[in-house]
Structure formats: structure tokens, C-alpha cells
Amino acid sequence: MNFIYDLHRTMMSQKLILVYQGDFTQESTKSILSMAERNLDSSGEESSIKRKVFNVMVEALQNIVKHSDELVDGQVRSHAAIFLIGKEANRYSIMSGNPVQKTNVPKLKKNLEQINGLDKDGLKELYKEIIKNTTISDKGGAGLGFVDMARKSGGKLEFEFPEMNADYCFFCLKVNVPRDNE
């Protein structure tokens, strides 16, 4: 039973205010968003900050639902992943993790590195370009969500791809939203 206390201590030390681990569906996503919204409302956060945090959360959750590759530890599951929100004195951190096939990692990494290499104006131009030149596929909007997260946060997207097994990596994404209006 010690793991419960260990988990609690980890959550406290990492300043986590919401953690969900499991299957991500449209229904569970709605529940997560409403819990987070209540948490933000009760904290008395400025509405412009709340809006940015909420927008980044929506994009991160949609990313899990749309892009999570479904094989985990040899079992087929529907979007088994993790979503976390951290709140520190100067920022909120929206974090997610989901399995992706190793074959998808290079393209994903390239997109994220391209986004991180752009300034505010570059992101705006890329956003317009994607909207103008893309027919949105079944899997989503060609990286539009990542661009939007970078624009809303005003910072770089942090990411890693730790190996799960021979075929899969775990895509870890962290987006920080400042708590001051700059």
C-alpha cells in the first residue's frame, strides 16, 4: 500500500493538479476537460490564462485520441495513455504521453523540431499555410494542433520518445503556459 503514498508524494512534488491514465475516448476527454475547468475556475485564475490552458489541453487530448497507436505491451487497447496538468507559481504544464509506432517517430520529431525552430511570426505563417494547403485527413490536421499549442503557450514544445519495445515508443509531450500575461 506504500505505492499510494509514494504516488501522492510524487504528485505533490511535481505540483500535479490532475492526472488521468487509461483509455482516452471522446467521453473520458469531456470529463477530464470539465474537471480541469472546475479546478481552474476554483483557483481564481485570470480568464485569459484559463483560456490558453484550456485550448492547449483540448489540443493535447485530441492528439491522444487521434494519434495514439493502439498496440500496448502486445495487447490491442483503445488509446491507453496518460494526461497530466501541473501548476507552479509561474506556469501551468500540460503533459501527455501515448504509444506511437517507431515508424511514425521520425516524421513526428521533424514536425516538432520545425515548430520549435519558429518564432511567433513564423508560427503564424505556418498555421496559415497548413490551413490553406491541407485537406484534413481522418487522423487530423497535419500538425495544426502542435502549431496551435506552440502559439498559445508562447514557448517551445518539450518532447521525448522513450522506447517501449521493438516496435513502439512512448510519445511524451509537455507544453508550458505562463501564468502572467505577457
Side-chain angles (χ1 to χ4, degrees), residues 3-169:
F3 77 93
I4 297 169
Y5 180 55
D6 291 343
L7 181 60
H8 173 73
R9 283 198 343 233
T10 299
M11 287 184 66
M12 296 298 285
S13 71
Q14 297 294 316
K15 309 273 193 267
L16 298 175
I17 57 173
L18 189 140
V19 175
Y20 176 83
Q21 201 264 281
D23 287 349
F24 282 75
T25 62
Q26 291 299 343
E27 282 309 305
S28 62
T29 298
K30 281 183 203 168
S31 299
I32 293 164
L33 287 170
S34 70
M35 277 191 294
E37 192 172 30
R38 279 194 299 275
N39 194 315
L40 288 169
D41 285 343
S42 67
S43 72
E45 194 61 73
E46 274 185 54
S47 61
S48 62
I49 306 295
K50 279 195 294 196
R51 198 167 38 254
K52 285 179 186 172
V53 170
F54 197 76
N55 286 340
V56 171
M57 283 181 357
V58 168
E59 293 295 347
L61 288 164
Q62 283 179 343
N63 183 55
I64 291 171
V65 172
K66 288 179 185 168
H67 301 289
S68 187
D69 291 325
E70 296 180 11
L71 187 72
V72 183
D73 300 329
Q75 299 174 7
V76 175
R77 295 223 204 122
S78 60
H79 312 298
I82 188 165
F83 179 80
L84 311 93
I85 302 173
K87 179 183 178 184
E88 296 172 57
N90 62 340
R91 69 181 184 189
Y92 284 94
S93 296
I94 295 90
M95 298 160 277
S96 62
N98 56 277
V100 293
Q101 290 181 343
K102 282 187 177 175
T103 54
N104 294 331
V105 171
K107 184 179 182 214
L108 194 49
K109 207 173 192 174
K110 185 174 175 259
N111 283 351
L112 292 164
E113 286 168 350
Q114 178 193 8
I115 290 165
N116 279 346
L118 297 172
D119 62 9
K120 192 176 179 178
D121 291 337
L123 288 169
K124 189 176 179 179
E125 287 308 308
L126 181 59
Y127 187 86
K128 286 180 189 172
E129 190 181 308
I130 292 171
I131 286 178
K132 195 173 84 181
N133 298 329
T134 307
T135 48
I136 294 178
S137 68
D138 294 338
K139 275 273 195 180
L144 198 60
F146 292 131
V147 175
D148 208 28
M149 285 190 262
R151 291 180 71 198
K152 295 282 188 292
S153 71
K156 304 293 179 209
L157 305 177
E158 297 176 35
F159 59 92
E160 283 182 5
F161 296 93
E163 189 172 296
M164 294 174 72
N165 59 33
D167 300 316
Y168 286 82
C169 288

